[in-house]
Amino acid sequence: MFWQKDIELMDKEQLRNTQLDCINKEIKIAKRSEFYKKKLSNIDKISSLDDVKNLPFTTKEDLRNSFPYGFLATDLQNVIRLHSSSGTTGNPTVVFHTAFDISNWANLSARCMYTAGARNNDIFQNTMGYGLFTGGIGFHYGAERLGMLTIPVGPGNSKRQIWFMQNFKTSVIHILPSYALRLFQTVEEMHVDVKRDLNLRIAFIGAEPHSEEMRKKIEELYNIKAFNSYGLSEISGPGVAFECECQSGLHIWEDYVYPEIIDKDTLEVLPDGCEGELVLTTLQREAMPLIRYRTRDLTKIISEPCACGRTHRRIARITARTDDMMIINGVNIFPIQIEKTIMSIPEAGRNYIIEIFENNFMDKLCIKLEIDNENFGGTLRDLEKLQNRLECELKQEIGVTPVIKFVDAGSLPVSDGKAKRVFDLRNKNK
Ligand SMILES: [Zn+2]
């Protein structure tokens, strides 16, 4: 079952030819912007996809340095919307859209949801933030395009979320993975039985890197299928890649972006199957094409055919953003490795934070975990056992022995948006 059969099943050669045409078109449009006029001054077109590797990269810093209009490649009168990063440090990144860009994005987002099994008789509840953040609005437009009854609840207010689910029989939900776990506390407090009282069957989870263990936990708790979504505001937002019913990697829509994987240190392009940084070139953007944009997301391209029949290659779930890497006493650690271990132990609870501090010139890693009351009714001795088990398994996974601290359920900080899990308390000024 396909949203756009001709595109989703397009044969490889035709897909590659289309990509080449689109890249050349994008180069032409991009050169109308101040940034690319300089950056691409020597390049008018490429003659094969092999030449893509010779095009210059574009980075987040480039976007910031060109604030506010340096990347705009069309007249302002054609632009109907902008999205922007929060910009907590320095200039924010700004992304512009024409009416065509917005419509195209809505279609892509609809394609993603359809691919995962959503249909026009579904009731869609969107718990993502609306506004400058693209997560909410991107799916909202897609859901309406698909024809679902769309409920734009937005983030937070867990009781109201469940009230909507119960009363309107929400069947499809879009939710941050961390929030899905927190929301379940409220489900329990309200004595809601997910099978009896709710009608949920599909969740779209994304916007935060998360482990397979976390997905399984969400599926079990709510008795649903949870599908990974990938996107980034610089490219448009959600919709760039999405899991199909096979749930084995995310189809990256190759009519919309041209993906490459590079070694983040040497910047060389890596063959399919090797893990590295994802680099994307937009293929259909009018207001703001991006050439070889370095996403900082780490993944690999899966080129083997997918059982669903779609010809667009897949990317593996995003294991981390290069920005997320923590260096503890010289060892590289990604937060997702810690999450994976925690989520694989049922008694270990669902909410956690990671603190890094210094003690006697050594880095210390402390993990604060909320105890899961339902799975843990044990004694102090059981608690010690759990602590030892976590320390051992984490040591195996990350190569560093952390300090485990248990805290009461509901006592860790929560936010409406993406969960902030890592708190680096080391003195950076020394
Ligand atoms: Zn597939």
Side-chain angles (χ1 to χ4, degrees), residues 81-86 95 97 105 126 128-138 140-141 152 154-155 233 236 238:
R81 194 191 307 156
L82 71 77
H83 281 281
S84 166
S85 66
S86 51
V95 180
H97 300 270
W105 177 21
N126 197 357
M128 287 287 195
Y130 282 71
L132 289 171
F133 171 58
T134 54
I137 223 165
H140 180 100
Y141 273 54
S233 61
S236 56

Side-chain angles (χ1 to χ4, degrees), residues 118-231:
R119 295 294 179 265
N120 61 5
N121 54 2
D122 274 307
I123 315 289
F124 174 69
Q125 186 165 330
N126 197 357
T127 74
M128 287 287 195
Y130 282 71
L132 289 171
F133 171 58
T134 54
I137 223 165
F139 268 76
H140 180 100
Y141 273 54
E144 289 187 347
R145 178 71 65 95
L146 202 154
M148 291 192 277
L149 168 53
T150 302
I151 315 176
V153 184
N157 202 338
S158 298
K159 283 190 178 153
R160 192 171 57 157
Q161 300 284 2
I162 293 160
W163 184 87
F164 269 105
M165 286 183 206
Q166 282 184 292
N167 285 284
F168 294 94
K169 300 282 172 237
T170 302
S171 53
V172 178
I173 190 167
H174 179 210
I175 192 163
L176 283 169
S178 59
Y179 184 55
L181 296 188
R182 286 209 318 273
L183 182 65
F184 199 77
Q185 275 173 13
T186 312
V187 170
E188 287 171 328
E189 281 161 23
M190 290 171 74
H191 304 291
V192 169
D193 181 322
V194 291
K195 285 188 190 155
R196 186 192 62 212
D197 305 325
L198 302 182
N199 193 37
L200 281 180
R201 61 184 198 93
I202 291 175
F204 303 133
I205 51 175
E208 294 169 337
H210 59 277
S211 57
E212 181 60 25
E213 286 72 12
M214 186 141 176
R215 181 235 294 269
K216 286 203 184 111
K217 194 142 198 164
I218 293 168
E219 291 190 328
E220 277 166 28
L221 290 174
Y222 290 92
N223 189 37
I224 52 172
K225 283 268 188 199
F227 294 89
N228 280 320
S229 144
Y230 174 70

